[in-house]
Amino acid sequence: QVQLVESGGGLVQAGGSLRLSCAASGRSFRSYSMGWFRQAPGKEREFVARINWSGGSTFYADSVKGRFTISRDNAKTTVTLQMNSLKPEDTAVYYCAATGVGFTIAPSSYDYWGRGTQVTVSS
């Protein structure tokens, strides 16, 4: 089992940056692919980015490609989402998640979830 705790959210002006972190505890962190998702009020949870077990493969939603970067440190059991050039439409609760499936962007395929961290981008 894996426990996930997100941090780093906050309020930022459009065009600014934030760095989200996800601290993982439990066994076999290295064996999981990790993802970031977000959910805005009244909307479904949507995929943002994912990274494979080694960090050698990443994938992004079109809406964040070129602005967000996902990375992981297996020694520190952390996953990071660097968010640049933020837009008001990036406002949401951001969740970190872990999956044993090799490549997936479907929320239903992720086994473990954090509680989320709020990101608010003002215009």
Side-chain angles (χ1 to χ4, degrees), residues 21-115:
S21 292
C22 174
S25 60
R27 303 176 66 179
S28 304
F29 172 77
R30 186 185 296 267
S31 65
Y32 290 96
S33 293
M34 301 298 296
W36 284 97
F37 292 79
R38 66 187 182 187
Q39 187 165 18
K43 295 187 177 182
E44 292 187 354
R45 192 167 297 188
E46 66 172 357
F47 167 78
V48 174
R50 56 82 63 180
I51 189 166
N52 75 331
W53 69 273
S54 69
S57 175
T58 59
F59 185 75
Y60 299 91
D62 287 343
S63 58
V64 307
K65 198 174 297 182
R67 301 188 297 122
F68 290 12
T69 302
I70 188 172
S71 60
R72 68 187 293 164
D73 185 330
N74 285 340
K76 296 181 179 179
T77 64
T78 58
V79 181
T80 299
L81 185 69
Q82 177 66 44
M83 306 187 296
N84 298 328
S85 303
L86 283 162
K87 305 175 181 180
E89 51 263 43
D90 294 319
T91 295
V93 177
Y94 283 71
Y95 298 91
C96 173
T99 178
V101 177
F103 178 87
T104 179
I105 63 172
S108 60
S109 296
Y110 284 74
D111 305 301
Y112 304 104
W113 292 83
R115 292 189 173 185

